[in-house]
Structure formats: C-alpha cells, structure tokens
Amino acid sequence: MLIECHKSLYFLISLALLNIVNSLEIVNYPSDQFVNLYENAIFKCKIKDYKKENDIIEWCKNDFCTWGRLIELPDGRLKYKSLSKFYIIGDRKNGEWNLLLENVTSNDVGNYKCSVTRRNDQSVFKLSSNSASLKIMEKPSTIELNHPNSIEIILDKSQDIDCIVEKSVPDPSVTWFMLDTNIFNELISNKNNLNDKRSIRLVDKKNSSFRMNIFKSSNSVYINRLSLNGSMDLLNKTVIAIIEHPLIPEPVIKSVKIELKYPPILSISYEPKEPLEEDKTYTFYCNSKSDEEIKIPNNFYFMNENHKFQSINGSIKLKLNRKMNGSFLVCEDTNLIGKSIINYSLDIIYAPRFIHVPDPIIIVNKSTDSLRLKCKVDSNPKSEIFWVKNENEIIHKGENLLLNQDLNGEYECQAKTMGFDPVVSRVAVVNEGPPSIYGQNLYFFETNKELNIRFSVLSSPSYHSGPICYKIDMNTSSVLKIIYPSRNKEKYQIYEDDLNELKISTKFRLRITNPSEDDIGIYNCTFSNQFGDSFFKFEINKKAEPVNVSLALTLIIIFSIIISFLIMSILILICVQRKRNRNSMGKKSLPSVSDHSGYEQNDKLTNSQYQIFSCEKITVVNNGCMSKNLSDDRKIDNSFKKQSNQISLIMNDQNSLESLSECLKFPSDTQNLILIDKLKSISQSENSNGNNHQKANIYSSRFQTNV
C-alpha cells in the first residue's frame, strides 16, 4: 500500500514538472546580424509565459554567459554594469529580453545566444536558444570568373565556371543566366535589360545539363560554381553571372562565351524531296557540319545483306525496289575532336503483292469438318487483310481464316493498303455433291438499258449439264436459253465469264438486251452433275421511274397553301364566335326575382347579399337584343352590375309602372342601385292583331356601382 502511494506521488510530481517544462519556451530566437562598423545591432529573445519571480534570463557571447549585474536606467532599459554598450530592451513583462549592442566594432564580432533558467521549490530548469552571429559587413575586394572571356567545352564533356569573390561579408548572392550569343551585345549595351530578368533565361537547377555548388576555399574566399555538361544546347550560348551585395549599389555582371567543340554533325538528305517510292530513282547526300578546318574526307555508302555501294563525291544514286526497304545508308566523318556515324534506314513505299495464297480450288468431302486458309501480303505501308465470302459478307480480318462449318463457298482475300488500290485473291471451296449456285436474287431493269444477271456455280465433280434458264409461268415454262456459248444478236445471251476446263468454279452472266415489261417475272437456272440437279431462282422487276422533283415541289406548295387557308378560316370563325359570346355576356338582362318578396339570400361565391322582390308579367328588353321574364328565379348577375345603358320596359298593365320602382330597387347596403329618373311618356302602340299595349320608355336608367 505504501509503495502504491509513493508511485502516485511520484506520478503527480512528474506531471507537475512536465507542465513546467512544457510551459517554458523561447518563442522569438535571435538571428544573424550583418551591420556596418559603428552601427547598432539587436538580437531578439522572447520567453513564453515569463514569470519574473521564477525566471532568470542571461545572454552569452561565444558561450561566455557571466556578464555581471544588471542596472535599470531611467528610460526603462537594463544595462550590464561591467559592459558599457550592452543593453536589455523590450517589454520585459511580456518576456521580451532583446539584446542591444551600440557602436559595433570588430571586437563585438562573435556568436550570441540567450538562455532562461526557471526555479521552483523542487527543481531548476534551463533552456537556451540557438546561436546567432554578429558580423561587420565588408565590401568584396575582388569579383571574377575563372574563365574571363570564353570557355571551350567538348561535346559530352563537363566543364566548370567559377565565380570567385574575396573578403565579402556577408556572402554575395550569385545568379546564373543563359542567353544567345547573338543578342548578348544588345543586352550588355543596356544594363537595364540585364537587370530585367525577363530578357534572359535563368539557369534551371533541375536541368541535367547544369549543376551548381557553393563552397569556400578559405574563410575569406567565396566560390559559386556552375558545372556545364557539354551538349548541343550550349552551341552559340553565353553564360552570365549577376553578383549582388548589400554594400554594392549596382549588381556586378560577369559573362563568358561558350565555345562548344564537337565531332562532325551528320545528316542525310535526298533529291527529289518526296516520299521514297518503288521503281523511282533518288540521289542521296551525306551532309557534315564541323567547326574544325582539318577534316578527314567523309565515307558514305549504301549497304544491305548482299551489296555495298560506295559514294562518289559524297552522293549515291539509287533506283529503289521493295527489296531495298529497311536497308541502310551509312555516313561517317571525322575531325580533331572525334568521329561521327549516322545510319539512315530506307522507308520505301510499294504496292501490295501476294506472297502466299491458297489454291484457287479446294475440294472437300463430307468428312472434312474444318479448313484453314492463309493469305500473306507484302506491302509498305502494311496492308489490312479481309476475308469475304460469296462476294458480299466480310467474315474475318487477318491473314489466317479458320473454317469449321458451312465450308462450301467462294472466298476472297482482299488486301487494302493506304494509297493503293485493293488486291484480291480468290479461292473456291467445293463440297462433293450437287452443284452449288449463289448470286443476287432480285434485279430491276430500266427501259433501253441492258440487264446483266450474274451468278456463280461450284461443282465437284464438274457439272455436265447447264445452264438451262427459263421463266416460270403459272401454267407453262418458257425456256430462255439451253445451249452456250451464245449466239450474237439474241435477246437472251448466257456468258461464261471465268472459263474453267474442269467447270468446278464458274461465273455466269445472263444478259438481257432491251428488257421490257414482258420480262418481269421469276426465273430459274438449272445445273446438273452425277450427284444431282441444283436450281438458282431470281426475280426481275421494273425499276421505279424517277420522281419529277418540280412537279412534287409544286404539289407540296399548293397543298401547303390550302392547309394554311383552312387554318386561317377556322381561326377567324373562332374569333367571331368568341366576340359574339362576349357581346351576349355584356347584354345580359336584369336579374329576375322570385315570387317570395323580401327574401334575403347570401351569395357564397361573391360574398354579397341580395334582396329578392316579386315582379310578375314584366319583360326586360336590353338594347333590343335579349328578352327575359323577370319572374324567373335567379340571383343578380355580376355582368349586369357593371352595365350602364338605357333600358326599355314593356308591360301589359299600366299599374305595373307604379310598382316598377319597388321591383327594380335593391338594398342600399350592396351599393348597387338602379334609379328610375323619369317616365318621359306613355303612349299607345298599334298592333295588327288589335291588341293595345302600353309602352313606357324609361330614360336615364343608370346602374351605379361603388366597388
């Protein structure tokens, strides 16, 4: 139990000490100071969470820290009693203990640091800052490059350019630039251009051709080195070093011209300047570029597996063929720097040519379940190879075609090469059995144009009968051709396009001269061999006449005009009908009332209250357009409320005029009232039936609305 208590106490003490250590921190460190002679220097030091009663701050020079007692001056600064020009300045309550050195001399040069010691009842902790140097600035005595004017660099060799600065405090800033030699004089004549970094290209440290190092050969000599790896990028270039120092008002500019030494630079050209093609003659030249005057004569030759042609006067004349494709032209040249060799491979364009094709006829039997056909083409550029079956179906792309079902048919190997016409190789695969016939099954003819029906026959063994072609009729069949070769000047002629002695794979053409509508119908051609007969059926129809574009366009325009007229007529009728409806709405009669005089009714839609009066045998005529009986039960119409026009009333009884006011008067709380101002006259109207009616014209009957 006692041991556990000791452990807990030790843990708490350790935690407290750790908190003290964590809270002790220097947040503002001193930095290197470069000042002129007899100027002031300030080293900063700030303590986080400064505690006056616990913390002691000291300054050290070159690790000597005992500077004696501090005296507080009237201006709030602290001064070391034994040191006349060392002061402590800053807001000490916030932990600022900055060191001020007045009138710095060479004796003050050294390294300075601050330290803080925190004391408590149990322990003491001390923390020191980094060391910061104090140096008196000194203007460089010399600035120069190890290559003052130019430097020779051999291709693929490295060379260094050193910028050497002596007695410089602090070290100078050196920046390297690269620019073209031909614009250097223009820039150097105006130093403002050189100061404008946009005029020249900064040497990129990431570029593998350059490497920069900085070092000191002694305490007083500073060297900034630029290492160059010789490459053609340095040809006709100038390197510029811009040196800057606080005590130099204008940057110092040093330049060195690069003289690149390299073996001959070789290239091969030819005439005429066009792509190399087969069966054309070209003259090839070896071109050598070198900065050395003494050169060994170049060596230029053509070489392939079997031949080597040496050049005459640096040129070779060759008539190209496809066997030369991929052969080399070799050019060699030497100067004092070294030897150069260049190889030029001939890339000759030539047309496709088959170098391997299957046999034109392959006979298979019933036991054959697969067959491989191979087609290989020599061309430049490389050909695309397609396999086509029965002249209309692409079944494979590539040199090798594997057949494992439906072997029978005629196949084409088509080689397509960019810039050339396709080349085709044909092979017929024939099964032993009755002849196989294939071709197009539907043909259209045009008047006065010849019609050709084409079909192919595959037969193993050879067919011995045919072709017999005839037109199929519902009742009879008419034979068109039985024998061949055809005779001239016949309407129907059959030609054997591909004559084959074995008659295994043959193409036929049935030509119909001047076809007419009599030729429309279905036809059949028959072939036979020892295994049986085969039939080829096709249909002939007339080609539709071309559409008269002008007539069609005229009909379309007329039809569009008619449709537009109908649409406009419908719209006009709709507008007239809507106008009539609006007039009818505007001419609604006075509201009729029910027989229940004095009955009040609420209108839920308009939130208005109306009183209904009893007026019988009174007819209201509104502008002579509408007549309705007031005895009809209906509420006051909203459209009537908005009217203000003269109203004529026709009554059967003169006494009704006396009650007219009561009949048409409405409660004043609705703010809607029809006033009868005056009964101007009452006259007898004559009627053909002898009926007398009294007519009262009520003028200035107005409907007043106050909404």
Side-chain angles (χ1 to χ4, degrees):
M1 185 68 180
L2 183 61
I3 294 175
E4 291 182 357
C5 291
H6 287 169
K7 287 183 178 180
S8 300
L9 181 62
Y10 176 77
F11 174 76
L12 293 174
I13 295 174
S14 300
L15 183 60
L17 295 177
L18 182 61
N19 290 333
I20 294 174
V21 173
N22 290 338
S23 63
L24 184 61
E25 182 182 355
I26 300 175
V27 294
N28 200 349
Y29 282 78
S31 59
D32 294 341
Q33 301 293 312
F34 297 93
V35 297
N36 292 322
L37 192 64
Y38 304 121
E39 288 184 349
N40 296 340
I42 297 177
F43 292 97
K44 293 184 178 181
C45 182
K46 183 176 181 180
I47 312 302
K48 182 180 179 181
D49 296 333
Y50 171 70
K51 304 181 186 302
K52 180 178 180 181
E53 62 278 3
N54 296 82
D55 297 341
I56 299 174
I57 292 91
E58 292 182 305
W59 278 96
C60 306
K61 176 185 178 183
N62 298 332
D63 294 330
F64 177 74
C65 303
T66 306
W67 289 3
R69 188 166 62 90
L70 286 168
I71 302 173
E72 185 171 1
L73 301 177
D75 58 4
R77 296 184 300 171
L78 296 179
K79 180 179 180 299
Y80 285 98
K81 183 177 181 180
S82 60
L83 302 173
S84 60
K85 56 182 180 179
F86 286 65
Y87 300 89
I88 301 298
I89 62 174
D91 186 359
R92 295 190 296 277
K93 293 181 180 179
N94 291 329
E96 294 181 1
W97 284 73
N98 302 326
L99 177 64
L100 169 65
L101 282 73
E102 292 184 341
N103 301 322
V104 173
T105 65
S106 58
N107 294 329
D108 300 322
V109 173
N111 296 319
Y112 292 81
K113 67 178 179 180
C114 69
S115 63
V116 55
T117 302
R118 177 164 292 178
R119 300 176 181 272
N120 53 37
D121 297 338
Q122 288 82 17
S123 59
V124 177
F125 298 96
K126 187 173 183 179
L127 183 65
S128 298
S129 71
N130 63 303
S131 294
S133 63
L134 173 64
K135 293 183 179 180
I136 299 174
M137 287 195 294
E138 185 176 355
K139 184 178 179 179
S141 59
T142 59
I143 299 175
E144 61 183 8
L145 300 181
N146 62 336
H147 299 280
N149 299 314
S150 63
I151 179 174
E152 289 188 359
I153 299 178
I154 299 175
L155 189 67
D156 297 329
K157 302 291 184 180
S158 296
Q159 187 65 276
D160 298 333
I161 301 177
D162 290 343
C163 178
I164 304 172
V165 183
E166 295 184 0
K167 297 182 180 179
S168 174
V169 180
D171 293 336
S173 171
V174 180
T175 309
W176 297 93
F177 294 90
M178 184 79 68
L179 72 159
D180 295 336
T181 302
N182 56 356
I183 67 170
F184 173 69
N185 293 331
E186 176 184 350
L187 292 176
I188 203 69
S189 62
N190 187 353
K191 292 185 178 181
N192 291 330
N193 289 335
L194 286 173
N195 292 332
D196 184 1
K197 301 298 189 295
R198 293 172 298 179
S199 302
I200 51 182
R201 181 168 62 90
L202 180 69
V203 173
D204 189 359
K205 295 181 180 180
K206 298 179 181 179
N207 194 318
S208 59
S209 300
F210 310 105
R211 188 174 66 255
M212 281 174 272
N213 293 311
I214 299 174
F215 59 92
K216 288 189 175 183
S217 59
S218 65
N219 291 333
S220 60
V221 179
Y222 167 88
I223 298 177
N224 192 304
R225 173 170 294 170
L226 175 65
S227 299
L228 302 176
N229 183 25
S231 66
M232 295 306 297
D233 293 337
L234 301 179
L235 186 63
N236 297 324
K237 293 293 190 296
T238 295
V239 173
I240 295 178
I242 299 181
I243 302 96
E244 296 175 297
H245 189 275
L247 298 181
I248 302 176
E250 291 289 336
V252 177
I253 301 172
K254 297 290 184 178
S255 64
V256 54
K257 181 180 178 181
I258 297 176
E259 295 180 358
L260 184 66
K261 301 296 180 180
Y262 51 89
I265 299 175
L266 305 178
S267 64
I268 294 178
S269 61
Y270 58 86
E271 296 286 346
K273 295 180 180 179
E274 59 186 31
L276 302 179
E277 296 184 19
E278 188 179 22
D279 298 329
K280 289 187 177 182
T281 301
Y282 298 84
T283 302
F284 296 87
Y285 303 93
C286 177
N287 308 304
S288 178
K289 180 181 178 181
S290 175
D291 60 347
E292 295 292 335
E293 295 182 358
I294 303 176
K295 295 189 297 182
I296 299 174
N298 59 25
N299 185 21
F300 184 36
Y301 55 89
F302 166 79
M303 180 179 65
N304 61 13
E305 297 178 355
N306 302 318
H307 302 89
K308 179 177 180 180
F309 303 107
Q310 188 69 33
S311 68
I312 300 175
N313 298 325
S315 65
I316 296 177
K317 191 172 185 179
L318 297 173
K319 183 177 181 180
L320 303 181
N321 57 60
R322 65 182 60 211
K323 292 183 179 180
M324 293 181 176
N325 189 51
S327 299
F328 286 99
L329 286 164
V330 182
C331 180
E332 300 176 351
D333 199 3
T334 306
N335 64 7
L336 296 178
I337 303 300
K339 181 178 180 180
S340 299
I341 301 176
I342 183 174
N343 296 325
Y344 183 81
S345 178
L346 296 178
D347 186 10
I348 303 170
I349 298 174
Y350 52 88
R353 180 185 297 173
F354 288 107
I355 57 178
H356 180 84
V357 293
D359 295 335
I361 298 176
I362 300 176
I363 299 175
V364 295
N365 52 41
K366 295 181 179 179
S367 62
T368 305
D369 56 0
S370 64
L371 181 66
R372 184 181 295 275
L373 304 178
K374 184 176 181 181
C375 179
K376 192 171 183 180
V377 180
D378 178 32
S379 67
N380 189 31
K382 189 176 180 180
S383 299
E384 284 189 303
I385 298 177
F386 301 90
W387 288 92
V388 180
K389 183 177 182 180
N390 296 340
E391 299 183 346
N392 59 5
E393 180 185 0
I394 297 177
I395 59 175
H396 182 66
K397 180 179 179 181
E399 292 183 350
N400 299 313
L401 172 63
L402 178 62
L403 302 174
N404 50 26
Q405 59 181 358
D406 192 17
L407 307 182
N408 192 51
E410 193 168 52
Y411 300 87
E412 289 184 357
C413 173
Q414 299 180 357
K416 297 181 180 180
T417 310
M418 185 175 61
F420 297 95
D421 294 332
V423 293
V424 178
S425 176
R426 296 182 176 87
V427 54
V429 179
V430 185
N431 286 321
E432 288 186 337
S436 297
I437 312 170
Y438 60 89
Q440 185 176 325
N441 300 111
L442 180 61
Y443 291 87
F444 295 93
F445 72 88
E446 297 183 40
T447 306
N448 299 326
K449 286 189 178 182
E450 180 183 282
L451 179 62
N452 289 282
I453 312 298
R454 302 179 186 274
F455 51 92
S456 298
V457 179
L458 301 178
S459 179
S460 177
S462 301
Y463 62 90
H464 56 74
S465 175
I468 300 175
C469 296
Y470 53 90
K471 180 180 178 182
I472 300 176
D473 201 321
M474 294 297 295
N475 302 317
T476 62
S477 297
S478 57
V479 178
L480 300 182
K481 192 66 182 177
I482 299 177
I483 61 173
Y484 66 94
S486 302
R487 299 171 184 174
N488 294 329
K489 298 182 180 180
E490 292 184 356
K491 181 173 183 178
Y492 302 99
Q493 298 176 5
I494 295 179
Y495 296 93
E496 187 175 345
D497 286 353
D498 298 334
L499 183 61
N500 188 292
E501 293 182 358
L502 297 177
K503 298 182 180 180
I504 291 177
S505 175
T506 310
K507 291 183 180 295
F508 289 92
R509 177 168 58 95
L510 169 61
R511 187 180 73 177
I512 303 177
T513 306
N514 296 324
S516 63
E517 293 186 1
D518 294 337
D519 297 315
I520 295 175
I522 299 175
Y523 293 76
N524 200 352
C525 292
T526 305
F527 291 83
S528 301
N529 64 11
Q530 65 189 55
F531 284 94
D533 301 329
S534 296
F535 305 94
F536 170 62
K537 184 182 293 185
F538 59 91
E539 181 181 354
I540 297 177
N541 212 329
K542 187 177 181 179
K543 189 174 183 179
E545 294 293 335
V547 178
N548 191 325
V549 179
S550 300
L551 179 60
L553 183 60
T554 303
L555 293 175
I556 291 173
I557 293 173
I558 294 173
F559 182 75
S560 301
I561 293 173
I562 294 173
I563 294 298
S564 301
F565 177 76
L566 291 175
I567 293 174
M568 291 182 64
S569 300
I570 294 172
L571 292 176
I572 291 173
L573 291 174
I574 293 173
C575 292
V576 170
Q577 185 63 32
R578 287 185 176 178
K579 186 175 181 180
R580 289 178 178 176
N581 292 339
R582 285 197 298 269
N583 290 336
S584 300
M585 294 288 291
K587 297 175 182 179
K588 287 185 178 180
S589 63
L590 287 171
S592 60
V593 294
S594 69
D595 292 334
H596 304 285
S597 179
Y599 178 77
E600 293 184 357
Q601 182 175 352
N602 293 325
D603 189 344
K604 296 181 180 179
L605 295 177
T606 60
N607 293 324
S608 300
Q609 188 178 46
Y610 309 106
Q611 188 170 9
I612 300 175
F613 294 87
S614 176
C615 294
E616 296 183 3
K617 298 181 181 180
I618 297 178
T619 301
V620 177
V621 179
N622 186 3
N623 286 343
C625 296
M626 184 180 296
S627 176
K628 289 190 178 180
N629 198 319
L630 287 179
S631 62
D632 296 335
D633 289 342
R634 61 188 178 93
K635 289 182 290 186
I636 298 175
D637 186 64
N638 289 332
S639 63
F640 173 76
K641 297 177 186 179
K642 298 179 181 179
Q643 297 179 29
S644 177
N645 39 4
Q646 183 174 315
I647 301 174
S648 298
L649 299 177
I650 301 175
M651 293 154 290
N652 294 326
D653 191 330
Q654 183 176 358
N655 295 328
S656 300
L657 292 173
E658 298 176 357
S659 61
L660 180 62
S661 176
E662 293 297 328
C663 183
L664 296 180
K665 187 182 298 183
F666 297 91
S668 59
D669 58 347
T670 63
Q671 300 300 319
N672 300 319
L673 181 63
I674 296 178
L675 299 180
I676 303 174
D677 294 338
K678 186 177 182 182
L679 297 177
K680 188 164 185 180
S681 63
I682 301 176
S683 62
Q684 295 289 333
S685 62
E686 296 182 359
N687 192 290
S688 59
N689 295 328
N691 296 326
N692 295 325
H693 297 275
Q694 293 179 340
K695 180 177 181 182
N697 291 326
I698 303 175
Y699 294 92
S700 304
S701 297
R702 298 177 179 83
F703 186 74
Q704 298 180 352
T705 304
N706 184 11
V707 180

